[in-house]
């Protein structure tokens, strides 16, 4: 079976980092932006993530991921700008709608958090093969069963997209009209759902049978065809990101204690 993913093959320093290192970076970046309610910290971390996407040569793919949440971001900007509970200072007005400084700042903070989450985890997904990520995590003590579930989650969307294209081409060859009015597209959509769900279930069963035939459930030590080897850069980055997470959590707890 052909393995599909969002991975963009390239030879860059970011691609060469261990998957767990990029996972730690994404986790630390997201946690820090949520624990520190600062626009500056969010902007700095987002800038670092965007810079890494440029180094990894996946910036164009990253723009597609960011574009998927632009409508949500605009909605947050409108709602928080007008109805945030701490609104006091009016910045500008459009007709009868008033936008407040406090709400806009809060909205920008939320948008920075969402964008940073997408970009940081986007770097992990776009520069890491799912098999390498699972192998690295299992090497570090993750249960192989959980690793298999994680691998399936990372591959399910690309697999379903590929399968849907195949089904649509087959339906068109049989005379189904998938273009035109909204009603025709809706009819084609319902005609697609059934075969897509059934094919996904069949693929899941075939995959389960295949891995059981290869001894997936056997207990004991496991070996890896392509083990992940960490470099000194991986160790330093992990050390820094872990220290950043510990500092952010400690600072937040101390702030909570002081405010009480």
């Amino acid at each position: 079976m052909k393995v599909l993913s969002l991975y963009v093959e390239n030879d860059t320093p970011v691609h060469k980092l261990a998957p767990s290192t990029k996972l730690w970076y994404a986790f630390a970046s997201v946690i820090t932006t949520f624990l520190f309610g600062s626009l500056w910290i969010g902007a700095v971390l987002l800038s670092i993530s965007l810079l890494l996407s440029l180094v990894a040569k996946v910036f164009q793919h990253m723009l597609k991921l960011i574009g998927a949440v632009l409508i949500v971001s605009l909605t947050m900007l409108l709602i928080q700008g007008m109805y945030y509970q701490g609104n006091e200072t009016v910045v500008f007005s459009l007709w009868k709608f008033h936008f407040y400084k406090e709400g806009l700042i809060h909205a920008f903070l939320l948008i920075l958090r969402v964008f940073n989450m997408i970009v940081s985890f986007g770097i992990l997904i776009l520069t890491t093969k799912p098999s390498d990520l699972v192998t690295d995590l299992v090497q570090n003590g993750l249960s192989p069963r959980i690793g298999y579930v994680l691998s399936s989650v990372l591959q399910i969307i690309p697999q379903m997209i590929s399968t849907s294209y195949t089904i649509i081409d087959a339906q068109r060859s049989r005379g189904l009209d998938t273009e035109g009015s909204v009603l025709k597209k809706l009819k084609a959509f319902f005609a697609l759902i059934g075969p897509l769900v059934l094919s996904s279930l069949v693929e899941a069963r075939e995959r389960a049978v295949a891995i059981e035939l290869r001894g997936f459930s056997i207990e004991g030590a496991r070996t890896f065809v392509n083990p992940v080897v960490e470099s000194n850069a991986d160790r330093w980055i992990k050390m820094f990101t872990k220290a950043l997470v510990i500092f952010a959590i400690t600072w937040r707890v101390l702030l909570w204690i002081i405010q009480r």
Side-chain angles (χ1 to χ4, degrees), residues 69-256:
V69 295
L70 283 179
I71 296 179
V72 177
S73 301
L74 180 60
T75 302
M76 287 193 294
L77 195 63
L78 293 174
I79 294 176
Q80 297 295 333
M82 291 186 291
Y83 304 114
Y84 179 59
Q85 60 181 0
N87 282 343
E88 293 180 357
T89 308
V90 177
V91 178
F92 64 92
S93 301
L94 291 176
W95 295 286
K96 296 181 179 180
F97 302 102
H98 305 291
F99 291 84
Y100 297 82
K101 175 183 176 181
E102 294 79 9
L104 292 174
I105 291 176
H106 184 66
F108 279 120
L109 179 60
L110 294 177
I111 292 171
L112 279 175
R113 288 172 175 173
V114 172
F115 279 14
N116 185 64
M117 182 186 302
I118 291 174
V119 176
S120 57
F121 276 97
I123 292 172
L124 170 68
I125 295 172
L126 294 172
T127 64
T128 308
K129 294 180 181 178
S131 58
D132 290 342
L133 175 60
V134 174
T135 297
D136 194 5
L137 294 177
V138 173
Q139 282 182 205
N140 285 282
L142 183 70
S143 167
R145 295 180 183 274
I146 299 177
Y148 169 71
V149 173
L150 178 61
S151 177
S152 300
V153 169
L154 292 174
Q155 296 175 18
I156 188 169
I157 294 178
Q159 289 281 6
M160 292 188 72
I161 292 175
S162 177
T163 303
S164 66
Y165 287 151
T166 303
I167 294 172
I168 290 174
D169 289 340
Q171 290 175 338
R172 285 175 177 171
S173 66
R174 290 172 174 80
L176 179 64
D177 188 4
T178 59
E179 301 294 337
S181 64
V182 176
L183 186 61
K184 288 184 178 180
K185 291 181 178 179
L186 188 62
K187 182 179 178 181
F189 173 76
F190 284 113
L192 170 67
I193 290 298
L196 182 60
V197 172
L198 290 176
S199 63
S200 299
L201 293 175
V202 171
E203 288 179 0
R205 178 177 175 80
E206 290 177 348
R207 189 181 296 113
V209 172
I211 62 174
E212 283 301 327
L213 290 174
R214 289 167 173 78
F216 179 77
S217 59
I218 295 177
E219 300 294 335
R222 297 174 182 268
T223 57
F224 302 93
V225 176
N226 297 307
V228 176
V229 180
E230 293 186 356
S231 63
N232 289 329
D234 289 306
R235 298 186 185 95
W236 280 106
I237 293 173
K238 279 186 178 181
M239 188 183 303
F240 175 77
T241 53
K242 290 177 182 179
L244 181 61
V245 170
I246 294 172
F247 173 75
I249 294 175
T250 304
W251 180 87
R252 191 65 181 181
V253 171
L254 290 175
L255 184 64
W256 176 73

